[in-house]
């Protein structure tokens, strides 16, 4: 388990990092927490010629209040997300999801942005970020651009990032006061989701006024369960309404289809209760 | 007979090994750095069955730091065949087992070339520059298909059938004829179970260092068997045994997986001899999973006959056992070790066991924790539940009415063994009480009638096993190539400190602690004054090493005998020193005294007197050391009752163990903390077979579970709090009364879990679920659909990355 030889670069600003990426060309890679990239390197499934370590870019760490939304720096670790008050108050779903990721060691190193850029459909942060209508703020040679989550996740391990771009921040609208839950089925504690469902629900005057539901690991990327969301609007937060809506999470009869429906029901039930 | 108020034996001491093992501040093989050392990396076949038509090493040889690149051709003349020490039948087919493939590979992971370089990094880099051309041969993976002999793993053998081994109680004169029992039975149950392939998954990967300095071959290896390894390496290479020294420094687990003479040990030795320089090889986890031996992998067809009242009469066992591509050290014998245990604690009139060993293009199988006995225990405990279901009887009742009663010991079994002692009633009563059996049955009934989404199951395993391997004459009768004795030496040092040398080879079990406790009690010296030396053939010149839960029952007994010899000699000298008759000498708390007087000599005084030898009795040799070797008369038979409650989520198929009680009878306990530790670890591995672990291959024979991301191991968070307790029925086959506890937890727990899950969902129409009982398998069974196999939703720790084929 020894990776192939690579050059190691340690930029101190985002601009420098972007420049290095351009200079090193197609075979250069950004390394954040290394929790997905290092195993890939060690198994020699990838052999980048240069690694650009963005661990020194303090401008990419932490969560900021930006009016109607939060800005989560790409290098914010899972551990920091778990303990952040802004996240707790305005994007509770993200904290609940992050609590289920891997184990404490990995949560101390792995990053919010790294998880999204890695774009493993089994990764837990993709579906909630999609469901919460987050926007990716990306830095490249010609400046910054914004890409909505729905366009960011392209396929298995593939995002809208160009080879010379870096994810800088993720803008997450505030969901203050929404109930939330992440229902994850995995076999052992450090294993990834077989299927998981992220749900955030707003209940006003005994009626569901808005809902966000995202499915983890049911396809080549995160899936937004819009059918479920629509079926919930205007309904009471009752078990009947939830069961009815959850059926729309999937129409197939395979194991994962079943899980999508069952876990959606459970996620919504817990979200409206909390 | 002790220096301290409290006896050492039975004390829950923390292990003296703990600090160094837990912090890693110790000598693991991979930590060794020798001057001028070269590093070996192994190129492994990516295909399961192929002819090697060409190997081009020119690019690799030119890479930085590379000393030489070697292929099978380079070793063909000197590598011989790796040993198989257990030819189970006279006509067993045994293919040559080269350490490195020469012109044909027979499993994916087999060594095809070596890079020897100045660093592990350079060696790994150059591997990628070796070009090998393979010409594919048909791949044989399925045992039943293999037996049709359409495609052959080893064409020269003419068949994929390795051997058939039979035990028949009527032929052996220890029971009636099983076919008669089946023909006349009121009830006959036939079931087929699959023991999936498992990977021992020791924590420390294998590592070997060979040094040829000063005309000696010194081999350090992360092995369980330094003594056997030395013997076998000498036999294979022709290097004189007295010029070979094998050292097993601290070893990080084995579970049978390091009970092996590995290709890499042999190759390192040959390379060091060729290069005249020290050589190191340390494997990666994936390499370990691809090439270190696997375990289990059997298909078990079981027929049980009984009367309508629940009395069992006959048991017929027909096994297919997957050998993999080659016979390693004890490969063919592992299923045979189970032959004596399928009848378990029950009184069958007739028993027949037929095992067919089969070659396939997979990694060789061999010993894995329990070796043969977990398979047997699983089958019989599953069958007892099936019988209970068939007859509508309470599963514990049906066991109780068939098991050997405590007053019936010693008991001659239908498999030809004599169980010396046991008390199944006592262990079961204690387990039922701790478990709250009746309350849980009530809870189960409530959930069933309310149609709860989460159903409750209760699983029973009333097991026994055979350990304390082994009486040498029995091993001889089974055609095993070695004996089963063990040896110990005690060196009494002039300052009164004690060195113990043992032929056992601990790799995490805590022998240093327990051996010290035994000696402290026997000799009345402080625990801290005893040092235990092991694992180096230069200090511990003979031994049969550690496996088969043998070390305490056999090696501990040798130690007791050595201590008795020390005391006997010391008593003679003490009498001489105190000028009294030996018959008047008493020994207590480390001191000799003359009965009825105040004259006292401490053992230390006597040892010093023996050492300086100024005044010894006529004819007495100086010194106070002693050696003893013990060959047991019989195996020992731990037993116990394990009860497992599981909650099965019928909507997701997820299984959660809600309560686990293990009451084991492992005989007299030396150190309860260590016994609990062995039970806990054993349970984890047995539960993991039931729920998590499975080595799978694709249709090309590539192992698809070659990382811990795909091969699921549970961790502490995934397992329940275990409720453990013991009953104590001492073994009569050794003076310690110890039976053995290294494997019991693994042997007992797998059927307890599987029985429990089935018990939870049987009323929903489920009759069986294959192991490991993944949520997908459980859910699929609940839908009444056929088993989906291991499935593609194993979902381990690398997300969707497929370690073999890239990102899926
Ligand atoms: C044993 C184990 C269990 C795990 N379990 C889970 C789990 O249950 N759920 C889960 O969601 N995750 C899990 N993870 C993954 C973990 O969450 C990682 O943190 C995450 O996948 C990647 O984050 P990272 O910071 O480590 O990224 P890295 O590994 O450093 O990078 C991953 C990829 O993203 C790219 N990248 C990273 N940051 C940027 C950026 N800012 N801009 C552009 N490209 C970037 C890299 O080039 C690389 O291709 C697990 C990991 C391990 C080792």
């Amino acid at each position: 388990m020894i990776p192939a030889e690579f050059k190691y670069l340690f930029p101190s600003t985002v601009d420098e990092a972007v420049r290095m990426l351009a200079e090193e060309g197609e075979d250069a890679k950004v390394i954040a927490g290394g929790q997905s990239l290092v195993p890939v390197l060690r198994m020699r499934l990838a052999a980048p010629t240069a690694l650009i370590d963005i661990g020194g870019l303090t401008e990419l760490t932490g969560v900021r209040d930006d009016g109607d939304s939060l800005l989560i720096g790409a290098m914010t670790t899972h551990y920091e997300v778990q303990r952040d008050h802004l996240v707790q108050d305005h994007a509770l779903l993200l904290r609940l999801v992050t609590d289920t990721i891997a184990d404490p060691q990995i949560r101390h190193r792995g990053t919010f942005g790294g998880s999204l850029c890695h774009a493993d459909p089994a990764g837990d942060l993709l579906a909630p970020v999609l469901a919460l209508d987050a926007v990716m703020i990306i830095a490249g040679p010609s400046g910054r651009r914004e890409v909505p989550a729905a366009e960011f996740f392209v396929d298995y391990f593939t995002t809208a990032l160009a080879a010379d771009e870096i994810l800088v921040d993720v803008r997450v609208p505030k969901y203050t006061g929404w109930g939330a839950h992440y229902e994850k089925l995995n076999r052992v504690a450090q294993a990834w989701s077989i299927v998981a469902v992220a749900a955030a629900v707003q209940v006003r005057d005994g009626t569901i006024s808005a809902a966000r539901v995202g499915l983890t690991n049911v396809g080549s990327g995160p899936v937004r369960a819009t059918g479920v969301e629509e079926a919930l609007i205007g309904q009471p937060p009752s078990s009947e309404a939830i069961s009815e809506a959850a059926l729309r999470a999937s129409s197939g009869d395979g194991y994962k289809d079943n899980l999508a429906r069952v876990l959606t029901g459970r996620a919504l039930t817990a979200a409206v209760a909390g | 007979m002790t220096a301290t108020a409290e006896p050492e034996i039975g004390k829950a001491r923390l292990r003296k090994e703990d600090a160094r093992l837990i912090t890693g501040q110790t000598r693991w093989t991979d930590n060794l750095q020798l001057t001028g050392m070269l590093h070996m990396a192994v190129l492994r076949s990516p295909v399961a069955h192929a002819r090697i038509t060409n190997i081009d090493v020119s690019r690799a040889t030119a890479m930085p730091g590379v000393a030489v690149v070697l292929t099978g051709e380079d070793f063909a003349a000197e590598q011989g065949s790796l040993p198989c020490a257990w030819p189970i039948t006279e006509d067993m087919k045994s293919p040559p087992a080269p350490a490195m493939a020469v012109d044909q590979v027979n499993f994916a992971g087999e060594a095809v070339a070596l890079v020897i370089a100045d660093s592990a990094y350079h060696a790994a880099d150059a591997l990628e520059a070796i070009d090998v051309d393979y010409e594919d041969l048909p791949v044989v993976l399925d045992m039943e298909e293999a037996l049709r002999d359409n495609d052959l793993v080893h064409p020269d053998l003419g068949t994929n059938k390795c051997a058939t081994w039979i035990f028949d109680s009527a032929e052996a004169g220890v029971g009636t004829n099983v076919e008669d029992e089946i023909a006349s039975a009121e009830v006959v149950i036939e079931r087929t179970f699959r023991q999936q392939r498992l990977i021992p998954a020791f924590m420390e990967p294998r590592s070997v260092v060979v040094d040829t300095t000063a005309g000696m071959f010194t081999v350090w290896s992360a092995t369980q068997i330094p003594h056997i390894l030395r013997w076998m390496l000498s036999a294979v290479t022709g290097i004189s045994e007295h010029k070979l020294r094998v050292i097993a420094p601290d070893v990080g687990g084995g579970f049978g997986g390091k009970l092996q003479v590995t290709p890499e040990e042999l190759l390192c030795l040959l390379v060091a001899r060729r290069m005249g320089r020290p050589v190191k090889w340390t494997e990666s986890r994936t390499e370990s999973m691809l090439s270190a031996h696997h375990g289990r992998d059997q298909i078990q067809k079981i027929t049980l006959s009984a009367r309508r009242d629940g009395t069992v009469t006959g048991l017929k066992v027909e096994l297919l056992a997957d050998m993999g591509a080659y016979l390693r050290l004890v490969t063919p014998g592992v299923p045979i070790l189970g032959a004596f245990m399928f009848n378990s604690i029950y009184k069958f009139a007739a028993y027949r066991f037929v095992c067919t060993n089969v070659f396939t293009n997979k990694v060789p199988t061999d010993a894995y924790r329990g070796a043969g006995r977990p398979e047997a225990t699983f089958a019989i405990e599953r069958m007892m539940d099936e019988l209970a279901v068939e007859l509508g009887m309470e599963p514990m009742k049906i066991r109780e009415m068939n098991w050997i009663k405590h007053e019936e010991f010693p008991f001659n079994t239908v498999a030809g063994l004599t169980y010396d002692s046991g008390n199944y009633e006592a262990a079961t009563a204690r387990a039922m009480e701790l478990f709250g059996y009746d309350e849980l049955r009530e809870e189960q009934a409530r959930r069933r009638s309310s149609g709860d989404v989460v159903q409750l199951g209760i699983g029973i395993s009333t097991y026994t096993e055979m350990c304390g391997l082994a009486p040498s004459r029995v091993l001889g009768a089974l055609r095993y190539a070695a004996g089963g004795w063990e040896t110990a030496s005690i060196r009494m040092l002039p300052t009164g400190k004690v060195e113990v040398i043992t032929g056992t080879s601990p790799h995490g079990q805590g022998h240093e602690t327990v051996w010290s406790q035994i000696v402290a009690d026997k000799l009345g010296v402080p625990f801290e004054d005893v040092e235990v030396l092991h694992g180096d053939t230069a200090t511990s010149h003979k031994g049969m090493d550690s496996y088969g839960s043998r070390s305490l029952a056999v090696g501990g007994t040798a130690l007791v005998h050595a201590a008795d010899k020390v005391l006997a000699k010391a008593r003679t000298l003490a009498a001489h020193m105190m000028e009294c008759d030996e018959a008047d000498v008493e020994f207590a708390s480390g001191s000799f005294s003359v009965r009825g007087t105040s004259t006292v000599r401490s053992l230390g005084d006597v040892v010093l007197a023996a050492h300086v030898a100024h005044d010894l009795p006529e004819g007495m040799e100086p010194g106070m050391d002693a050696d003893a070797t013990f060959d047991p008369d019989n195996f020992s038979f731990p037993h116990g009752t394990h009860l497992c409650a599981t909650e099965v989520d019928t909507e997701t198929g997820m299984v959660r163990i809600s309560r686990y009680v293990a009451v084991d009878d492992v005989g007299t306990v030396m150190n309860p903390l260590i016994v609990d530790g062995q039970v806990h670890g054993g349970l984890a591995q047995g539960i993991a077979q039931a729920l998590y672990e499975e080595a799978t291959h694709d249709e090309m024979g590539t192992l698809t579970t070659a990382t811990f991301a795909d091969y699921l191991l549970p961790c502490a968070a995934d397992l329940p709090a275990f409720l453990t307790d013991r009953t104590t029925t001492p073994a009569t086959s050794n003076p310690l009364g110890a039976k053995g506890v290294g494997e019991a937890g693994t042997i007992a727990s797998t059927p307890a879990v599987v029985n429990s899950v089935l018990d939870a969902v049987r009323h929903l129409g489920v009759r069986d679920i294959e192991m490991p009982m993944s949520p997908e398998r459980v859910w699929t069974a609940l839908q009444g659909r056929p088993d989906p196999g291991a499935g593609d939703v194993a979902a381990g720790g690398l997300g969707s990355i497929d370690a073999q084929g890239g990102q899926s």
Side-chain angles (χ1 to χ4, degrees):
Chain A
M1 290 274 175
I2 296 176
E5 199 173 324
F6 55 80
K7 190 160 145 191
Y8 176 78
L9 299 167
F10 194 70
S12 46
T13 64
V14 171
D15 289 348
E16 192 186 358
V18 169
R19 198 170 345 108
M20 285 172 169
L21 264 179
E23 278 165 18
E24 297 298 328
E26 288 275 302
D27 287 335
K29 266 220 167 271
V30 166
I31 182 164
Q35 297 306 293
S36 291
L37 187 55
V38 171
V40 168
L41 297 180
R42 286 166 64 91
M43 288 189 289
R44 298 196 175 208
L45 296 173
T49 50
L51 286 189
I52 297 159
D53 185 348
I54 56 172
L57 307 186
T58 42
E59 55 193 297
L60 297 190
T61 344
V63 182
R64 282 136 32 227
D65 195 325
D66 192 34
D68 287 345
S69 49
L70 302 180
L71 282 173
I72 302 178
M75 280 303 294
T76 311
T77 63
H78 300 316
Y79 175 83
E80 288 160 350
V81 169
Q82 281 182 288
R83 273 152 194 79
D84 189 274
H85 289 291
L86 292 170
V87 172
Q88 172 74 29
D89 292 345
H90 306 295
L92 176 63
L93 179 60
L94 293 180
R95 200 216 83 206
L96 298 174
V97 169
T98 308
D99 285 348
T100 73
I101 294 176
D103 56 38
Q105 285 95 323
I106 290 164
R107 291 196 293 268
H108 268 86
R109 294 211 66 90
T111 64
F112 190 78
S115 291
L116 302 178
C117 295
H118 189 57
D120 185 329
D124 289 305
L125 283 168
L126 282 62
V129 159
L130 176 70
L132 296 181
D133 286 323
V135 173
M136 311 294 150
I137 302 174
I138 295 168
S142 48
R144 307 231 163 169
R145 66 181 180 119
E146 300 201 357
V147 178
E151 290 162 32
F152 184 75
F153 302 112
V154 175
D155 203 346
Y156 289 102
F157 304 100
T158 311
T159 66
L161 279 174
D164 55 3
E165 289 183 318
I166 288 176
L167 177 66
V168 178
D169 277 317
V170 180
R171 175 176 296 130
V172 183
K174 286 183 178 170
Y175 291 86
T176 319
W178 288 46
H181 188 75
Y182 192 55
E183 187 72 21
K184 170 169 174 174
L185 191 88
N186 60 347
R187 289 181 66 187
V188 295
Q190 88 284 14
W192 294 57
S193 298
I194 297 173
V195 170
V197 178
V201 184
Q202 189 185 45
V203 182
R204 278 204 186 127
D205 307 326
T207 301
I208 296 175
S209 51
R212 301 280 187 274
V213 181
L215 311 179
T216 299
N217 209 18
V218 297
S220 60
V223 171
R224 179 93 178 250
T226 40
V228 178
E229 293 176 1
E230 283 159 13
L232 287 168
I233 311 286
Q235 297 292 322
S238 66
S239 57
E240 295 74 26
I242 286 172
S243 309
E244 190 63 30
L247 290 177
R248 303 202 187 186
S250 174
S251 57
D253 80 335
Y255 178 56
K256 283 192 170 191
D257 298 300
N258 165 67
L259 285 183
R261 291 187 294 266
V262 170
L263 302 183
T264 297
R266 292 180 185 185
L268 289 170
T269 304
V272 298
Chain B
M1 293 231 304
T2 161
T4 49
E6 217 185 322
E8 279 292 336
I9 289 182
K11 202 170 182 177
R13 269 196 178 275
L14 285 172
R15 303 187 306 178
K16 44 162 89 168
E17 299 92 330
D18 280 347
R20 72 173 203 267
L21 293 182
I22 291 168
T23 60
Q25 302 291 306
T26 189
R27 225 168 272 117
W28 306 109
T29 302
D30 190 47
N31 292 349
L32 289 170
Q33 300 296 344
L34 303 181
T35 308
M37 191 164 74
L38 295 166
H39 295 260
M40 177 172 111
V42 184
L43 184 71
R44 298 188 180 279
S45 170
V47 293
H49 204 199
R51 251 185 293 281
I52 300 172
T53 52
N54 188 46
I55 304 186
D56 181 354
V57 301
S58 52
R59 273 197 311 134
T61 309
M63 299 269 290
V66 173
V68 65
V69 181
L70 299 165
T71 69
E73 292 287 352
D74 297 306
F75 292 108
E78 58 174 334
Q79 68 177 341
S81 181
L82 290 166
C84 173
W86 204 341
I88 53 166
T89 61
E90 209 146 333
D91 61 353
M92 181 182 85
K93 298 270 191 303
S94 188
M100 179 138 61
V102 179
D103 47 19
Q104 185 172 321
V105 291
N106 293 310
F107 69 91
E110 190 167 0
V112 292
L114 300 179
V115 174
I116 313 299
D118 61 355
S119 75
Y121 282 72
H122 281 145
D125 286 343
L127 280 186
E128 294 194 326
I130 303 174
D131 296 311
V132 186
D133 297 333
Y134 296 99
E135 191 182 294
D136 285 341
L137 294 168
V139 177
V140 181
L141 298 174
D142 179 78
M143 281 193 276
E144 282 158 334
E145 179 57 35
L147 283 175
R148 289 186 199 110
D149 283 342
N150 291 330
D151 297 314
L152 297 178
V153 177
H154 301 284
D156 290 352
L157 299 181
T159 175
N160 291 321
K161 188 157 112 188
C162 167
T164 301
W165 193 93
I166 299 172
F167 175 86
D168 188 290
S169 62
E171 284 164 25
V174 292
T176 56
N177 184 310
V178 84
E179 297 301 345
D180 295 346
E181 297 294 348
I182 291 171
S184 64
E186 293 168 5
V187 187
V188 177
I189 296 179
E190 196 187 294
R191 296 284 184 274
T192 300
F193 303 125
R194 202 177 62 95
Q195 292 282 330
Q196 78 269 35
R197 188 171 265 256
L198 300 174
I199 298 181
F202 32 76
M203 279 299 128
E204 180 206 15
R206 297 172 304 163
S207 181
V208 188
V209 172
V210 179
D211 183 23
T212 59
T213 307
M216 279 294 288
F217 292 93
T218 305
V219 179
W220 288 264
S221 182
T223 178
Q224 293 175 231
I225 52 160
H227 296 94
I228 297 173
L229 180 60
R230 180 200 203 194
W231 178 10
M232 294 296 138
L233 284 178
S234 163
V236 174
T237 60
I239 295 172
S240 300
E241 193 177 350
H242 65 297
K243 293 293 178 190
L244 256 174
R245 174 182 176 191
V246 175
I247 302 173
D250 273 328
V251 175
F255 311 121
K258 291 174 181 165
L259 165 48
Q260 195 53 271
V261 176
T262 67
E264 295 82 6
E265 285 163 335
L266 182 64
L267 291 170
C268 256
L269 179 57
L270 296 180
V271 171
R273 177 164 75 176
R274 181 182 286 244
M275 309 291 288
R277 283 172 67 179
V279 177
K280 182 197 278 186
W281 169 78
T282 299
E283 70 185 351
S284 70
R285 179 60 61 186
T286 292
E287 223 183 339
S288 189
M289 303 186 92
L290 284 170
S291 64
H293 73 246
H294 293 176
R296 312 275 197 276
D297 207 342
Q298 295 182 1
I299 296 170
Q300 312 175 297
K301 188 175 156 204
I302 317 284
T303 312
L304 181 147
S305 64
R307 291 204 287 270
R308 281 251 149 243
D309 69 357
T311 310
V312 297
T313 57
L315 183 66
K316 186 164 79 170
V317 174
E318 294 158 284
L319 296 187
L320 297 182
D322 193 337
M323 304 288 97
Y326 298 105
L327 302 180
R328 295 283 192 244
L329 192 62
V330 297
T331 300
V334 168
I336 310 310
L337 275 174
F340 306 96
M341 284 289 120
F342 277 86
N343 52 305
S344 188
I345 64 172
Y346 309 112
K347 294 184 277 187
F348 286 94
Y351 173 52
R352 182 176 168 84
F353 171 96
V354 182
C355 179
T356 305
N357 287 349
V358 186
F359 291 113
T360 61
N361 291 115
K362 285 182 266 178
V363 179
T365 57
D366 207 312
Y368 172 52
R369 203 169 189 172
R373 292 105 80 209
E375 297 91 311
T377 302
F378 178 84
I380 187 64
E381 288 305 294
R382 283 285 293 106
M383 289 305 278
M384 293 309 279
D385 262 30
E386 292 295 310
L387 180 63
V389 169
E390 176 77 23
L391 297 176
M393 289 177 71
E394 154 65 26
M396 189 59 97
K397 283 273 147 43
I398 211 160
R399 287 171 166 83
E400 194 176 351
M401 68 181 287
N402 284 295
W403 73 41
I404 302 158
K405 305 285 177 295
H406 72 272
E407 63 273 11
E408 293 176 293
F409 290 95
F411 186 90
N412 295 327
T413 78
V414 73
L417 294 179
T418 302
Y419 293 174
D420 62 329
S421 68
N423 190 334
Y424 309 141
E425 298 90 326
T428 300
R430 182 70 187 126
M432 303 266 279
E433 179 190 326
L434 277 175
F435 191 65
Y437 189 87
D438 296 332
E439 295 77 22
L440 280 169
R441 282 278 181 224
E442 285 162 22
E443 168 70 16
Q444 177 180 47
R446 273 196 297 277
R447 292 204 199 183
R448 279 189 191 170
S449 61
S450 70
D452 202 316
V453 164
V454 180
Q455 289 290 317
L456 183 68
I458 294 173
I460 301 171
S461 172
T462 48
Y463 78 101
T464 188
E465 62 126 336
M466 57 192 266
C467 61
L469 268 49
S472 297
R473 70 185 156 77
V474 176
L475 294 180
L478 291 172
R479 306 176 51 89
Y480 181 61
W485 46 263
E486 196 45 83
T487 200
S489 303
I490 295 180
R491 295 183 195 153
M492 302 301 294
L493 305 179
T495 55
K497 308 292 187 206
V498 185
E499 273 176 352
V500 168
I501 296 139
T502 177
T504 65
S505 200
H507 39 283
Q509 294 90 341
H511 295 179
E512 290 173 29
T513 300
V514 172
W515 278 214
S516 298
Q517 288 179 277
I518 292 172
V519 168
D521 260 12
K522 288 295 288 184
L523 301 183
V525 297
F527 172 83
E528 293 74 18
D529 285 3
V530 185
E531 190 69 24
V532 179
L533 309 178
H534 56 80
D536 179 346
T537 60
T539 42
S540 163
H541 69 290
K542 71 177 176 186
M544 291 308 300
D545 307 317
S546 288
Y547 43 82
S549 302
R550 68 186 305 271
S551 297
L552 180 62
V554 189
T557 301
L559 184 56
V560 168
H561 289 171
D564 286 340
K565 287 185 185 175
V566 167
L567 284 181
K569 183 171 179 182
R571 181 183 295 272
T572 307
L573 180 52
H576 177 76
M577 291 164 75
M578 298 188 291
E579 298 177 344
C580 70
D581 197 290
E582 208 179 311
D584 293 330
V585 175
E586 291 179 332
F587 180 71
S589 302
S591 287
F592 293 96
S593 55
V594 182
R595 183 171 299 124
T597 75
S598 57
T599 313
V600 174
R601 290 287 184 283
S602 73
L603 177 64
D605 295 341
V606 179
V607 167
L608 184 62
H611 192 78
V612 299
H614 295 164
D615 177 17
L616 299 181
E618 202 50 44
M620 180 179 276
E621 282 182 19
M624 195 60 79
D625 302 342
D627 300 332
T629 298
F630 174 68
D631 196 352
D633 276 343
N634 194 0
F635 297 92
S636 52
F637 302 96
H639 70 80
T641 297
H642 287 212
L643 297 172
C644 174
T646 53
E647 293 190 328
V648 179
D649 185 330
T650 55
E651 289 182 344
T652 63
M654 193 70 187
V655 173
R656 197 181 69 86
I657 297 177
S658 53
R659 191 172 305 174
Y660 197 102
V661 168
V663 176
D664 297 292
D665 194 321
V666 297
T668 310
V669 168
M670 307 293 119
N671 182 328
L673 206 55
I674 287 183
V675 165
D676 273 344
Q678 289 292 317
V679 170
H680 281 225
L683 292 177
Q685 276 177 312
I687 290 170
Q689 177 174 11
L691 296 180
Y692 305 117
E693 296 185 31
E694 178 172 25
T696 55
H697 298 80
D698 64 16
E699 67 283 2
M700 299 304 293
T702 308
L703 184 71
T704 49
T705 50
T707 71
F708 280 162
D710 313 288
Y711 189 83
L712 286 194
L713 297 180
C715 66
D718 304 305
L719 296 164
F722 300 124
L723 274 171
T724 61
D725 202 357
R726 280 180 289 280
T727 57
T728 304
T729 315
T732 62
S733 48
N734 68 70
L736 290 166
K739 295 178 182 172
V741 69
E743 294 155 298
T746 308
I747 292 168
S749 53
T750 310
V753 177
V754 172
N755 280 339
S756 178
V757 173
L758 289 171
D759 185 54
V761 295
R762 229 184 247 279
H763 66 291
L764 301 173
V766 177
R767 289 180 44 143
D768 198 10
I769 303 172
E770 278 195 18
M771 297 187 290
M773 300 172 112
S774 65
E776 186 182 15
R777 276 199 162 117
V778 173
W779 181 82
T780 306
L782 281 162
Q783 309 313 304
R785 301 183 195 171
D787 183 77
D792 58 356
V793 293
L798 275 177
S800 310
I801 296 172
D802 166 4
Q804 288 300 314
Q807 305 184 344
S808 62

